[in-house]
Amino acid sequence: MMTDIIQKVKNLSIGFRSKKGDEILILKNISTNIKKGETVGIVGESGSGKSTLALAMMGYVKHGLYTIGGECQFNSSNLLKMKSKDLEKIRGRKIAMIPQNAGQALTPNLKIGYQIDEALQLHSDLDEREREKKISELLNKVRLPSPETIALRYPHELSGGQQQRVAVAMALAGTPDLLLLDEPTTGLDVTTQAHVLELLNFIAKDTGTSMVYVSHDLGAIAQVSDRIIVMYSGEIVLEGPSRDILKKPIHPYTYGLLKSIPKLSLAGLPESMPGSQPQPGTIQGGCSFFDRCNFSDDNCKNNSPKLEFLKDLNTSVRCFNYEKLVNENEVSQTVNKIKNKSLDKEILNLSEVSISYAKQKLLDQIFNRISDENPTVKDINIDIKKGETIALVGESGSGKSTILKSIAGLLRTKDGLIRFDEKRNLSSDLKERDPNDLRIIQLIFQNPDESLNPNHTVEEIIAQPLKLYFGLKGEELKKNIIDLLQKVRLGEFYMSRYPRQLSGGEKQRVAVARAFAAKPDIILCDEVTSALDVSVQAAVLNLLQQLKEDFGTTYIFVSHDLAVVRAISDRVAVLYQGRLCEVGPSNDVYKFPSHPYTEVLLGAVLEPDPDIKPKLVAEDIVEERPPEKGCSFQGRCSRIVGDICKKEIPPWQLTDSGNAIRCHIPIKELQKQQF
Amino acid sequence: MKVDNIYKEEKKSAFVKLSEIIITMASRPSGLIGLSILVFHIILAFISPYIAPHDFKAIDPTLMLQAPSAEYWFGTDDLGRDVFTRTILGGRTALTITFFGSLIALLWGGLLGIFCGLVGGKIDDVVMRIVDAFLSIPWILAMLLIVSLLGTSTEVLIPALGFFYGKGIVRVARAATHDVIAKDFIVSARARGHSNFSIIWNEIIPNVRDAILVEGAMRWSWMLLGFSSLSFLGFGVSPPTPDWGLMISNARGLMSFAYWAVIAPIVGLSSLIIGINLTADAFAKALGIDRSTKAPV
Ligand SMILES: Nc1ncnc2c1ncn2[C@@H]1O[C@H](COP(=O)(O)OP(=O)(O)OP(=O)(O)O)[C@@H](O)[C@H]1O
Ligand code: SF4
Ligand code: SF4
Ligand SMILES: [Mg+2]
């Protein structure tokens, strides 16, 4: 039986020494086995220690950390005690790793073929001839089109998904027995993600390689793993067969996590989990999940539970009260239904908006005009009602952020009008807007680390708009700040803190407070939850919804996560290559995806459910620029009707429920062919 | 119970912050040594006129090139002047001139760098070309030209040194500004409609200040070396004012038989330079700036 196990992690503890000299644990006494041919998913929030564990599995401990105890056995030798010379022989050949953003980590000035060749030279004993053959074999295996030409390209000439495939090919060069993947699809588009995961699944089956996936995304993990390990602040809290864990998680953390992830099939906001994961070294005895647990009792406060193996469930769980969950049925998700208070009054209207990034010729610069026959964003017509949440969705590069920038006045439009409140035209040039025009539209950004000045306290951050727009001072200013902090559920004592002293969710709350401080009519949300941990995301979404109901604010919400969009938005606008494909009520768009592109997008969504497999309709090719003529989606459309799609811009067609679709296929037919 | 100590950190006054930085600096041996040397030199510069045992300019032919003794601790030079007296006084001019020179370098280098980083595009290109062009002139040649045209008074030396040593700071300030300018909090401030001045003052300067200060401190030690080289060449301080560069230059021919006359100023000068260097390094570390990742200027 022993030979079945390829990697044996035994009582592994890794940590670092704090400035004060205390030993702080990042991994606490981890034991697990990886079997031959098995794929194991390690899930956890950022900071839970999942990457540290994966790195230890190849005998690597990050600079600044050290092994406190335990071992990682590979072929019955402890990797963590091995000399670096022996490790070199194993890494790449026996154990390979695909690090986070591996695609982007390719050497930019070397051709793809050359880079794979290097990996082959390093990790195999093939001669030049054989290597050449192997290169095209590998590129074929990762399903890159025409390997010969791809081998001659530079990394920047490939799309993100293709780069990721090259990284996979390089990892496979040494025909490893164990492949470690750290967030292999994070940062890729939904469609690309689904394709890459499908490829990895195929490779696992085809080659019998054991794989360890590390990800925060349960949706991705669900598609690939046989077994799942759930980590929480450096401990394994739950480990067992993938299906059981996703369908009937018996640990309160996993249970809550699954409940807080928005699902495509459900409109409305999922319940949120309170709090956030504790920082390493701050737990003082008791269960590490105690603060956030709905099932806790006094016992949990003072004693820490052991990882217990339950034979009949083939699952290990670290919880005193798991029995309460064993008898629960499948995770039943309750959602807070959105109260739709949107009025019929139009608040913002975009008509015929086009935006170009093209470098302008001198003559155009002199006349201060923009000329571009084929602009990045074109013909955007949307009218947005007061109090509604409208979402812009589409793959990366579809122009979502570009449109937001123009609305905010940060990017000049080429053509078109942006009209506020039915009467006032807003210039897309900041300098031409008066202070009130600037106040009514506020932005919330993706990454609060970037959008909050690290040298300002929370008080200073929120004070900025209050001073700028309302000229508040002294006591009144302070009162307003405290008020706003309360609205985003932060206590008064946060005022004196710096962003680095806040957790991700808290930072985003501060950013939300800053946006509301201006008393805006419209808030532009650009991927506001994508940098947050899954368990915190739901809380921020709920907060946004609550504030909206209180203030009657209108949101324009950009996200690549279609489930999140489903949860929060009233209406959805689908964009491809800067052109609108479909605009309609969320319910409609999600229930009857009618535009071929919407179909592709929705089909590719990864749900944390082993029974829902993504449907890969179109290829995940990325187009450099929008086509000059005809339908923007013609290059990838699987239902293309012929020449008409290539020559004529498709007309808008309206469904009975008010969904507008832009396609040459008649509406009846579009809806008939649904999958 | 579960409160993390970093979460309890509160906003501090500038004074508390400064003392904390100094304590952090002193907690490393290299920082402690650097700080001690620097503080020693500064104190010495203030009190040396009062504690000097002899008159620094008293020439006595009968006492030429005396070896160190109980009366003349570091011996005497070729004109019979007390080397100890001249050594403890010899850093004053250099320290003062380079200190103010560094301030000027910080000011113009920092402001120009921030400006370039902020405007970007063509203007940035052109300005940086000009700065590069100046960088490629050997500074000592340019300095000699300036000094021979305008004289060696303090009013000439301070701005001239400040100018030449500010070029490196432009680079650092520009790079730091470039990093900050891409961040969303700047976009956010612009979208709110803050003025350019407010953006520079509130958003950019707090984020580039540390990098610029550290660079300035480093430049200070280089400037000290540069100034002493000028003196050595006879273009810095004019005799009989005691100055290390000048003393080394005068006594270097006597090295083989009156080493004391040259060793003492060398020790003085190099210890000060090392002291400033170590301090600047510790300062950078205490602020969390890793100089090794910055492009060499
Ligand atoms: N500053 C720029 N100069 C030139 N092209 C740009 C610039 N910024 C964006 N683009 C291009 O404009 C298109 C739309 O970009 P945008 O950032 O709006 O996409 P997005 O939908 O927000 O994508 P993501 O989901 O990746 O954020 C892309 O093709 C992009 O390459
Ligand atoms: S041990 Fe207690 S606090 Fe910890 S997860 Fe189980 S029920 Fe919750
Ligand atoms: S217009 Fe043609 S190419 Fe475009 S989505 Fe419809 S069928 Fe596909
Ligand atoms: Mg974007």
Side-chain angles (χ1 to χ4, degrees):
Chain A
M1 274 322 278
M2 264 308 281
T3 49
D4 233 21
I5 293 171
I6 184 159
Q7 166 93 245
K8 190 182 178 97
V9 181
K10 228 164 78 186
N11 302 331
L12 179 64
S13 294
I14 289 182
F16 64 92
R17 225 165 252 296
S18 73
K19 270 191 189 162
K20 285 205 205 121
D22 306 332
E23 191 161 78
I24 289 174
L25 293 175
I26 297 284
L27 289 182
K28 300 171 196 160
N29 209 3
I30 304 274
S31 299
T32 187
N33 297 325
I34 312 291
K35 298 200 193 74
K36 245 187 198 129
E38 182 187 41
T39 53
V40 178
I42 304 179
V43 286
E45 303 182 6
S46 67
S48 60
K50 53 189 189 313
S51 298
T52 311
L53 175 57
L55 287 172
M57 285 184 178
M58 63 185 300
Y60 182 77
V61 178
K62 256 192 261 167
H63 183 74
L65 300 180
Y66 60 94
T67 313
I68 292 163
E71 44 193 62
C72 288
Q73 282 183 9
F74 182 77
N75 290 337
S76 46
S77 44
N78 181 7
L79 294 175
L80 296 172
K81 288 258 164 66
M82 230 181 240
K83 291 204 193 70
S84 54
K85 230 176 79 202
D86 299 328
L87 268 178
E88 271 167 30
K89 285 194 200 117
I90 294 182
R91 286 190 193 147
R93 287 196 182 205
K94 294 269 169 18
I95 308 178
M97 173 146 207
I98 301 183
Q100 200 162 347
N101 293 328
Q104 287 163 29
L106 297 170
T107 319
N109 54 348
L110 294 178
K111 290 189 177 132
I112 297 299
Y114 184 83
Q115 298 196 39
I116 298 179
D117 194 41
E118 268 189 342
L120 282 171
Q121 284 179 32
L122 210 60
H123 303 313
S124 74
D125 309 310
L126 306 175
D127 64 30
E128 205 177 326
R129 263 276 205 60
E130 290 169 316
R131 286 205 309 270
E132 205 166 300
K133 231 179 81 205
K134 184 83 184 188
I135 292 173
S136 55
E137 210 180 286
L138 282 169
L139 288 172
N140 245 325
K141 184 167 246 161
V142 295
R143 295 195 215 137
L144 281 166
S146 57
E148 289 73 25
T149 50
I150 291 272
L152 295 177
R153 291 216 201 146
Y154 291 97
H156 69 89
E157 295 171 318
L158 303 180
S159 72
Q162 289 173 327
Q163 288 175 356
Q164 199 69 1
R165 281 161 206 254
V166 172
V168 175
M170 282 170 68
L172 293 175
T175 51
D177 300 326
L178 176 62
L179 187 57
L180 307 169
L181 306 105
D182 194 353
E183 303 274 6
T185 57
T186 306
L188 298 178
D189 264 319
V190 256
T191 44
T192 319
Q193 233 178 26
H195 276 97
V196 171
L197 287 178
E198 198 259 342
L199 168 76
L200 289 169
N201 253 341
F202 167 78
I203 287 172
K205 286 212 183 70
D206 192 47
T207 59
T209 314
S210 306
M211 294 194 183
V212 174
Y213 285 88
V214 176
S215 182
H216 72 282
D217 183 357
L218 271 168
I221 293 280
Q223 305 311 320
V224 285
S225 27
D226 306 327
R227 208 149 55 83
I228 291 181
I229 296 174
V230 183
M231 302 210 32
Y232 190 76
S233 60
E235 293 172 322
I236 295 181
V237 293
L238 186 63
E239 172 173 0
S242 170
R243 172 169 296 268
D244 296 349
I245 294 215
L246 294 167
K247 291 274 189 190
K248 277 194 69 173
I250 57 169
H251 189 278
Y253 168 64
T254 319
Y255 183 79
L257 194 60
L258 280 161
K259 277 183 101 162
S260 65
I261 300 175
K263 309 272 158 33
L264 265 194
S265 50
L266 269 178
L269 290 163
E271 257 176 61
S272 62
M273 217 194 281
S276 57
Q277 186 178 245
Q279 297 277 315
T282 56
I283 301 154
Q284 317 251 319
C287 175
S288 52
F289 189 58
F290 177 71
D291 277 7
R292 309 173 69 188
C293 188
N294 285 332
F295 298 84
S296 59
D297 50 34
D298 280 349
N299 189 18
C300 314
K301 189 171 176 182
N302 304 313
N303 302 310
S304 25
K306 300 259 168 315
L307 194 64
E308 199 178 324
F309 182 67
L310 311 174
K311 208 151 182 218
D312 45 337
L313 293 173
N314 194 19
T315 299
S316 305
V317 60
R318 187 188 294 275
C319 175
F320 294 122
N321 302 328
Y322 69 86
E323 270 143 2
K324 288 189 198 163
L325 278 156
V326 172
N327 303 323
E328 287 256 338
N329 289 329
E330 286 189 8
V331 182
S332 57
Q333 199 161 27
T334 41
V335 290
N336 310 324
K337 278 270 183 284
I338 291 185
K339 286 184 214 105
N340 191 343
K341 274 205 301 196
S342 72
L343 308 171
D344 238 9
K345 192 165 169 293
E346 172 194 297
I347 185 123
L348 193 77
N349 182 300
L350 306 185
S351 73
E352 301 293 326
V353 169
S354 300
I355 307 162
S356 167
Y357 279 113
K359 214 168 170 173
Q360 296 308 311
K361 295 195 196 74
L362 188 63
L363 203 62
D364 294 325
Q365 277 182 11
I366 291 169
F367 290 106
N368 199 17
R369 64 183 183 201
I370 300 171
S371 65
D372 181 2
E373 287 307 302
N374 196 18
T376 311
V377 169
K378 196 176 167 189
D379 294 344
I380 303 296
N381 291 296
I382 311 176
D383 73 292
I384 298 162
K385 302 265 184 286
K386 193 167 168 50
E388 81 170 335
T389 302
I390 184 161
L392 304 180
V393 301
E395 286 158 303
S396 123
S398 60
K400 307 174 299 251
S401 308
T402 305
I403 295 174
L404 286 196
K405 275 189 204 149
S406 281
I407 297 177
L410 291 166
L411 185 64
R412 269 185 63 202
T413 52
K414 175 177 171 290
D415 292 314
L417 290 176
I418 301 171
R419 194 174 61 214
F420 177 74
D421 209 11
E422 296 181 339
K423 45 189 185 290
R424 212 135 40 97
N425 280 334
L426 296 181
S427 160
S428 60
D429 191 346
L430 218 51
K431 288 182 218 107
E432 290 167 23
R433 290 194 181 180
D434 63 42
N436 193 46
D437 288 347
L438 293 165
R439 182 188 62 78
I440 53 181
I441 298 177
Q442 293 291 314
L443 274 157
I444 306 175
F445 295 85
Q446 169 166 3
N447 191 344
D449 285 325
E450 295 247 318
S451 68
L452 305 180
N453 189 329
N455 280 303
H456 287 176
T457 58
V458 169
E459 181 177 3
E460 287 162 346
I461 289 168
I462 301 179
Q464 278 182 330
L466 292 173
K467 285 197 221 159
L468 181 71
Y469 297 128
F470 310 111
L472 296 186
K473 276 201 278 295
E475 276 308 303
E476 207 185 348
L477 176 66
K478 193 155 179 186
K479 206 180 125 271
N480 270 277
I481 295 171
I482 295 171
D483 236 32
L484 281 158
L485 278 175
Q486 258 161 15
K487 292 220 170 75
V488 295
R489 319 255 185 301
L490 293 175
E492 193 181 325
F493 57 92
Y494 280 92
M495 293 225 298
S496 57
R497 292 198 186 166
Y498 287 95
R500 63 172 177 279
Q501 298 161 349
L502 305 175
S503 72
E506 287 168 340
K507 272 182 253 184
Q508 200 60 301
R509 280 164 202 268
V510 173
V512 170
R514 176 176 65 185
F516 274 95
K519 301 200 172 64
D521 294 277
I522 300 169
I523 293 187
L524 312 175
C525 307
D526 194 354
E527 301 273 9
V528 285
T529 59
S530 11
L532 300 179
D533 274 322
V534 199
S535 75
V536 179
Q537 167 175 293
V540 170
L541 288 175
N542 275 301
L543 172 72
L544 283 172
Q545 182 60 29
Q546 187 60 50
L547 289 170
K548 182 188 126 152
E549 280 165 21
D550 293 351
F551 293 94
T553 323
T554 307
Y555 288 148
I556 305 181
F557 199 93
V558 161
S559 177
H560 71 282
D561 187 331
L562 291 158
V564 167
V565 166
R566 167 69 161 157
I568 196 155
S569 62
D570 306 317
R571 238 162 22 115
V572 180
V574 184
L575 278 163
Y576 186 76
Q577 291 281 353
R579 277 85 177 138
L580 285 170
C581 297
E582 178 166 1
V583 184
S586 313
N587 271 332
D588 239 51
V589 174
Y590 279 79
K591 255 192 221 121
F592 321 104
S594 326
H595 192 280
Y597 179 55
T598 317
E599 222 170 332
V600 170
L601 273 184
L602 289 174
V605 172
L606 305 169
E607 296 233 50
D609 184 335
D611 292 332
I612 305 178
K613 293 276 170 228
K615 303 174 193 76
L616 305 177
V617 190
E619 279 303 313
D620 61 329
I621 348 156
V622 173
E623 295 179 82
E624 290 276 306
R625 46 172 44 248
E628 309 250 327
K629 278 193 298 195
C631 172
S632 59
F633 190 51
Q634 53 179 282
R636 285 169 66 187
C637 184
S638 59
R639 300 176 64 178
I640 187 162
V641 272
D643 256 5
I644 185 163
C645 297
K646 297 198 172 144
K647 291 212 177 96
E648 278 171 44
I649 293 179
W652 281 108
Q653 308 184 65
L654 269 181
T655 66
D656 302 336
S657 48
N659 194 2
I661 295 163
R662 208 182 202 183
C663 178
H664 284 301
I665 303 173
I667 261 205
K668 287 253 156 51
E669 211 163 311
L670 270 175
Q671 290 189 330
K672 228 175 17 203
Q673 281 199 11
Q674 239 113 80
F675 50 78
Chain B
M1 277 285 270
K2 295 190 183 179
V3 187
D4 186 346
N5 32 15
I6 66 158
Y7 283 3
K8 282 206 305 211
E9 194 183 323
E10 301 279 320
K11 187 176 169 66
K12 295 169 189 134
S13 70
F15 177 75
V16 176
K17 267 196 224 162
L18 188 67
S19 28
E20 269 184 9
I21 289 174
I22 291 175
I23 290 169
T24 320
M25 284 163 70
S27 68
R28 277 172 226 263
S30 64
L32 187 62
I33 294 171
L35 267 176
S36 323
I37 298 177
L38 182 59
V39 170
F40 170 77
H41 274 290
I42 292 174
I43 295 177
L44 192 67
F46 275 108
I47 63 169
S48 52
Y50 309 107
I51 60 165
H54 296 273
D55 182 2
F56 68 85
K57 52 184 189 304
I59 300 176
D60 187 343
T62 61
L63 288 173
M64 260 167 55
L65 298 174
Q66 299 265 319
S69 62
E71 175 69 20
Y72 301 103
W73 294 356
F74 290 178
T76 60
D77 65 5
D78 53 346
L79 297 177
R81 296 174 296 194
D82 178 30
V83 175
F84 178 71
T85 302
R86 293 180 64 77
T87 304
I88 60 173
L89 288 167
R92 299 185 79 212
T93 323
L95 210 50
T96 321
I97 288 187
T98 53
F99 178 76
F100 287 106
S102 301
L103 281 189
I104 289 185
L106 269 181
L107 206 67
W108 88 262
L111 287 181
L112 185 66
I114 292 174
F115 172 76
C116 284
L118 193 64
V119 295
K122 285 250 162 55
I123 301 178
D124 176 32
D125 272 355
V126 172
V127 174
M128 286 317 286
R129 286 275 158 75
I130 296 174
V131 170
D132 279 341
F134 271 114
L135 268 180
S136 60
I137 309 176
W139 70 272
I140 199 121
L141 278 185
M143 268 315 276
L144 291 184
L145 190 72
I146 293 176
V147 172
S148 46
L149 285 177
L150 300 174
T152 61
S153 64
T154 319
E155 298 82 48
V156 173
L157 282 174
I158 291 181
L161 282 168
F163 174 71
F164 280 101
Y165 284 86
K167 287 176 307 193
I169 297 175
V170 178
R171 287 274 172 101
V172 171
R174 175 174 170 269
T177 308
H178 259 302
D179 288 349
V180 175
I181 209 89
K183 295 271 164 72
D184 281 340
F185 59 83
I186 304 274
V187 180
S188 173
R190 286 214 299 130
R192 273 197 305 274
H194 284 283
S195 66
N196 279 338
F197 175 78
S198 148
I199 290 178
I200 295 178
W201 186 252
N202 291 318
E203 311 286 342
I204 297 177
I205 289 188
N207 286 296
V208 299
R209 186 188 52 210
D210 292 355
I212 296 178
L213 280 181
V214 167
E215 190 59 31
M218 281 292 170
R219 293 285 142 190
W220 186 15
S221 67
W222 289 113
M223 195 188 284
L224 202 75
L225 194 62
F227 173 74
S228 300
S229 317
L230 277 182
S231 293
F232 182 86
L233 295 173
F235 292 98
V237 181
S238 9
T241 312
D243 178 81
W244 293 329
L246 206 56
M247 288 166 74
I248 297 170
S249 158
N250 284 342
R252 72 185 197 283
L254 318 169
M255 188 74 180
S256 50
F257 50 92
Y259 56 86
W260 53 85
V262 67
I263 295 279
I266 286 179
V267 170
L269 179 59
S270 34
S271 68
L272 179 55
I273 290 176
I274 292 171
I276 295 179
N277 241 305
L278 289 177
T279 309
D281 239 11
F283 184 50
K285 287 210 181 90
L287 291 172
I289 296 173
D290 188 0
R291 277 183 52 86
S292 59
T293 61
K294 286 258 160 22
V297 186

